[in-house]
Amino acid sequence: YMGEQSRTIMADQGRQEPDEQGLLHCGMTDVTVQHVIAKELLNSVAEVMIRQRITVDDKEGCARIQTQIEAHCTKIRADPSKDVLNTVETALHTFVRGTSRSLINIVSSLAGSKENDVKTILGLLESSNFWPLRLQFARNLIHRMDPNGVDHCTQTFYTRELLEQHQTTECSFRTLTCTHPGCGRCFAARSAENHDNVCEFKQLPCRLGCHETVARKSMETHCRSYCVMRLIPCPFREIGCLEETPQCRLGDHLQDFVNEHLVLVMKALLAQKKETTHLHTQVVTLVGQVAALSATQDSLSTQISTHHREIGQLDKALSKLTKTVQGSAATPR
């Protein structure tokens, strides 16, 4: 997204003075590449701060790192086999790895400490407006390392009028802002088609054909839950109608298939009646079985009572016999 610094840089691009040959250079850069490089610059500052245990409050320490990175970037040479972004990223990673690390940082790294979080440092740097001209610095890097005009415009003009016309309507690197409501993303004119093909805020005709326009990011939800053309199952699905029809045409389906649905209802009723008859037969059978079991239970209860009485009588006889035996044993011979 374009900030105030980006707008200022855009305005300044058409105000440079003619060169020794009296030519005005366009110099417009791909704003996406420019912002990525600016982000990599700030990210490198944060990584070095973590390695050297420098806090955001240490203004001198942060400024020293910025100066070191700027000096390192001035030594970067264009690599024909790589684009500008890749070359800068490689150089910055080399710079970060080459910086010394504090003993405390090494120990905390070995211990797996998460105290030093790059994202946290980046947030603090951005909120404090650290290195406010890093976008300008990134633009200058692109100009110096991109002689073939891959990521910036190298066209020249004899008059300021021609330059302004080119930068306003013709330059493929001029910055455009997405016009789809809610987006606001900025990109080079050469990337307009690519962005349009992926912009989540672009209004598109419903892919199911309901004649509504829906934001690309909301298309799935619309088609799944709200679109009148989404397919829904027939209300008679449970009894055999497997047709699916657009929600807005459900009434037509019900009207067109009245006879078929009535047949399905009759079949369902007959099947239900047959099942009911079968269940009734099972119930009658079970009732008979229960009655038989009840009779058996009564018979067993009677037998148990009889056995209990017999056991009682046997206990009495055994007790009497035991006394008789004990008495005989006590009588002297």
Side-chain angles (χ1 to χ4, degrees):
Y1 293 84
M2 179 175 292
E4 189 60 34
Q5 186 184 353
S6 300
R7 302 182 194 280
T8 302
I9 291 174
M10 281 182 59
D12 289 342
Q13 287 180 348
R15 297 174 184 168
Q16 62 269 49
E17 297 301 320
D19 61 15
E20 296 177 354
Q21 300 176 348
L23 295 175
L24 292 166
H25 294 258
C26 174
M28 282 194 158
T29 59
D30 188 316
V31 67
T32 302
V33 177
Q34 188 175 340
H35 274 267
V36 173
I37 291 178
K39 182 179 180 180
E40 285 296 321
L41 291 170
L42 197 63
N43 188 76
S44 298
V45 173
E47 290 187 3
V48 175
M49 289 173 63
I50 291 174
R51 291 173 69 91
Q52 299 183 352
R53 305 289 290 185
I54 295 175
T55 66
V56 177
D57 295 331
D58 185 355
K59 304 299 182 184
E60 292 184 1
C62 294
R64 183 179 67 254
I65 296 174
Q66 175 185 336
T67 301
Q68 292 172 347
I69 290 178
E70 289 177 343
H72 181 77
C73 288
T74 59
K75 301 175 184 179
I76 303 175
R77 295 292 177 264
D79 186 343
S81 64
K82 299 180 181 178
D83 57 32
V84 175
L85 179 57
N86 193 283
T87 302
V88 173
E89 287 178 338
T90 301
L92 290 175
H93 292 166
T94 301
F95 170 78
V96 172
R97 289 195 300 270
T99 57
S100 59
R101 301 178 65 181
S102 69
L103 180 60
I104 296 177
N105 180 269
I106 294 175
V107 172
S108 65
S109 296
L110 292 175
S113 172
K114 295 183 179 180
E115 176 185 358
N116 298 320
D117 184 355
V118 174
K119 291 183 179 180
T120 301
I121 300 296
L122 280 174
L124 293 172
L125 290 174
E126 291 175 348
S127 63
S128 64
N129 197 30
F130 174 78
W131 200 347
L133 295 180
R134 64 181 179 276
L135 273 176
Q136 179 71 54
F137 187 79
R139 174 174 173 264
N140 294 338
L141 273 179
I142 294 173
H143 284 193
R144 183 170 63 82
M145 299 178 58
D146 184 34
N148 297 323
V150 176
D151 292 313
H152 83 291
C153 182
T154 58
Q155 292 192 46
T156 56
F157 301 87
Y158 286 103
T159 67
R160 193 167 297 280
E161 289 75 16
L162 290 175
L163 172 62
E164 291 179 352
Q165 178 183 347
H166 168 76
Q167 290 184 328
T168 304
T169 61
E170 300 170 359
C171 183
S172 61
F173 293 97
R174 70 188 188 278
T175 299
L176 302 178
T177 303
C178 181
T179 57
H180 300 308
C183 182
R185 186 171 293 276
C186 295
F187 43 81
R190 64 175 181 171
S191 302
E193 183 177 354
N194 290 338
H195 173 76
D196 191 68
N197 289 335
V198 298
C199 179
E200 292 186 344
F201 295 89
K202 182 178 181 179
Q203 296 290 317
L204 300 171
C206 172
R207 67 165 179 251
L208 298 181
C210 74
H211 306 298
E212 287 191 26
T213 55
V214 185
R216 178 180 275 117
K217 68 176 183 177
S218 304
M219 186 65 72
E220 288 298 327
T221 301
H222 168 77
C223 292
R224 182 176 60 253
S225 304
Y226 302 106
C227 182
V228 297
M229 290 298 292
R230 70 187 187 280
L231 294 179
I232 60 173
C234 174
F236 293 93
R237 183 184 186 87
E238 294 298 326
I239 59 173
C241 182
L242 302 181
E243 292 288 332
E244 290 188 337
T245 185
Q247 187 267 338
C248 62
R249 298 175 185 167
L250 178 59
D252 294 337
H253 168 74
L254 295 176
Q255 184 175 356
D256 293 342
F257 288 85
V258 170
N259 293 335
E260 289 80 356
H261 291 158
L262 286 175
V263 171
L264 291 174
V265 170
M266 289 300 299
K267 288 182 178 179
L269 289 174
L270 290 173
Q272 188 177 35
K273 182 178 180 181
K274 182 178 180 181
E275 180 67 16
T276 301
T277 302
H278 176 67
L279 291 175
H280 178 72
T281 302
Q282 287 185 319
V283 169
V284 171
T285 301
L286 289 174
V287 168
Q289 293 176 347
V290 169
L293 289 174
S294 179
T296 301
Q297 183 180 7
D298 292 341
S299 175
L300 290 174
S301 296
T302 302
Q303 293 179 21
I304 291 173
S305 297
T306 302
H307 290 323
H308 282 168
R309 287 195 300 273
E310 292 175 350
I311 291 173
Q313 293 172 356
L314 290 173
D315 283 340
K316 290 179 179 179
L318 179 61
S319 177
K320 183 177 181 181
L321 181 61
T322 300
K323 290 180 180 179
T324 302
V325 171
Q326 290 176 346
S328 299
T331 302
R333 295 184 177 182

